[in-house]
Amino acid sequence: MNEHTGHGHTDHAAHGGHAGHTGHAGHAAHAGAQPGGLAVSADGYTLELDAAILTAGVQTVTFRVTGPDGRPVTEYVPEHEKELHFIAVRRDTAGFQHVHPVRDEHGTWSTELTLEPGDWRFFTDIHPAGHDRTLTLGIDAAVAGPYAPQPLPEATGTARLGAYTVTLKGELVPGEASELTLTVGRDGRPVTDLEPYLAAYGHLVALRVGDLGYLHVHPEGEPGDGVTAPGPDISFMAVAPTAGTYRLFLDFQHEGVVRTAEFTVRTTTPAAEHGDHQAHHAGHGHGGHPSPHAHH
């Protein structure tokens, strides 16, 4: 788990243009949509790193996004209070960092990352001025040194960060929008004074294990709307494009510190879930297959 005060975070895996949707119908349009970040170039925009081979430790990473004219983009539509959201994660899903780089007048961005040896994926979430949508571009980087890949954490539905515990309820359903609720507690008590951070009480990034496809995730409500409470529950609508395993990273701010809770989630389907309930009530076992609720 990460705990830090200097890094920015965003709530979506996200397409800021959709953040205003609050009804399920608005999100259903994304059902089956391809995850972002699988390509280094889209719609004529390309992510370019100054160096794709890096050394371990705290490193300054510089990059740019070039437009259809081949020149670095210098004008963006801010999404969730920032022109660009940057995510770094190792291919084994360790080392997650979500930061907000600084851009110079020539369109070169720079940010600091803490890197361990291994193969990494960097994502930029952007809305170039004059373009009709948000884009997520992804690029590989290699960090030199002995690589000790980490096994995928178990799907327990609970994340612990010092005195804080975050629990996850809800299922990821392939091809459908579904609600995920994350509940924040500290020392066994609900946290009811979460602080707004980049226009939300929580920010959720979801990545598909295997190719690190970057999912559409949207917050339900926002601070100051007269409806959304500052905890302990934070709700999102998510679309899993396919069956599989996903990694969720929740950023939340409390008492001036941004913390990141991590989860492993496996998809289920309404039909399978219904069948499991029927088998449970009939007194039958699951034939050795884990229940989709095993991680709650």
Side-chain angles (χ1 to χ4, degrees):
M1 304 304 172
N2 303 325
E3 181 174 312
H4 35 93
T5 56
H7 293 169
H9 299 255
T10 183
D11 59 21
H12 43 329
H15 296 268
H18 307 302
H21 292 169
T22 55
H24 289 232
H27 302 293
H30 295 296
Q34 289 297 311
L38 296 177
V40 71
S41 185
D43 298 352
Y45 295 90
T46 302
L47 174 57
E48 298 179 353
L49 291 177
D50 280 332
I53 299 176
L54 304 163
T55 54
V58 178
Q59 302 294 334
T60 298
V61 175
T62 56
F63 63 94
R64 63 196 54 79
V65 177
T66 59
D69 60 1
R71 298 177 180 177
V73 177
T74 58
E75 295 185 17
Y76 296 84
V77 178
E79 301 282 11
H80 301 280
E81 302 180 348
K82 296 291 182 180
E83 285 189 337
L84 182 145
H85 299 273
F86 188 94
I87 289 172
V89 66
R90 207 167 62 174
R91 282 265 175 201
D92 61 354
T93 77
F96 176 89
Q97 294 161 76
H98 198 160
V99 300
H100 294 101
V102 175
R103 177 178 58 81
D104 68 18
E105 67 273 19
H106 303 296
T108 296
W109 296 86
S110 60
T111 190
E112 279 196 350
L113 297 173
T114 301
L115 301 172
E116 294 184 355
D119 294 320
W120 287 73
R121 188 72 172 173
F122 297 159
F123 301 92
T124 55
D125 214 7
I126 54 172
H127 187 166
H131 195 56
D132 61 356
R133 66 188 181 98
T134 300
L135 300 172
T136 305
L137 304 177
I139 194 168
D140 285 339
V143 178
Y147 176 30
Q150 300 299 307
L152 196 67
E154 290 297 318
T156 65
T158 301
R160 292 180 173 83
L161 306 85
Y164 292 85
T165 300
V166 183
T167 57
L168 170 67
K169 292 183 179 179
E171 303 286 351
L172 274 180
V173 182
E176 294 183 15
S178 60
E179 186 173 49
L180 301 175
T181 299
L182 296 109
T183 303
V184 182
R186 183 174 68 171
D187 294 325
R189 298 181 179 180
V191 173
T192 58
D193 57 346
L194 292 172
E195 297 159 0
Y197 194 74
L198 301 180
Y201 286 123
H203 308 273
L204 189 66
V205 168
L207 300 173
R208 184 169 60 187
V209 174
D211 62 3
L212 300 184
Y214 192 83
L215 273 62
H216 303 277
V217 183
H218 311 280
E220 294 288 275
E222 60 186 27
D225 62 7
V227 177
T228 306
D233 294 341
I234 314 168
S235 294
F236 301 86
M237 294 301 295
V239 178
T242 62
T245 302
Y246 294 81
R247 290 281 283 156
L248 307 185
F249 301 89
L250 172 74
D251 300 320
F252 64 94
Q253 181 169 311
H254 189 237
E255 296 183 350
V257 179
V258 175
R259 294 174 171 85
T260 304
E262 305 180 5
F263 300 88
T264 302
V265 177
R266 296 181 179 88
T267 56
T268 185
T269 63
E273 185 176 342
H274 181 65
D276 280 340
H277 281 306
Q278 283 185 324
H280 176 76
H281 290 304
H284 297 147
H286 294 295
H289 297 291
S291 163
H293 299 291
H295 57 281
H296 290 338

